[in-house]
Amino acid sequence: MAGITCPICGEPADPDVRPFCSARHRDRDLLQWLGEGYRIPAGPADEDGEDGLDKTYAPD
């Protein structure tokens, strides 16, 4: 797997756990996702909870 490196440590990837170098790093990445370690920061939600997606359309 020339050119593919582990996103955790930069070592060459193992074909069995690609794109990671080991099952340990694959599991570590999964735990980051499950623990919301990769979330995107955002501002506070609207107080009324209205975002326009839950509104029903009423023709005039």
Side-chain angles (χ1 to χ4, degrees), residues 11-26:
E11 293 292 320
D14 180 345
D16 293 334
V17 289
R18 186 175 159 205
F20 303 100
C21 65
S22 66
R24 180 175 168 241
H25 282 183
R26 179 195 61 200

Side-chain angles (χ1 to χ4, degrees), residues 9-43:
C9 68
E11 293 292 320
D14 180 345
D16 293 334
V17 289
R18 186 175 159 205
F20 303 100
C21 65
S22 66
R24 180 175 168 241
H25 282 183
R26 179 195 61 200
D27 293 345
R28 181 176 166 190
D29 185 68
L30 178 60
L31 288 173
Q32 279 287 94
W33 282 105
L34 295 175
E36 299 182 1
Y38 292 135
R39 66 181 172 198
I40 298 172

Side-chain angles (χ1 to χ4, degrees), residues 56-60:
T56 57
Y57 177 73
D60 296 328

Side-chain angles (χ1 to χ4, degrees), residues 33-54:
W33 282 105
L34 295 175
E36 299 182 1
Y38 292 135
R39 66 181 172 198
I40 298 172
D46 292 337
E47 291 178 13
D48 60 2
E50 292 290 328
D51 60 3
L53 297 176
D54 295 330

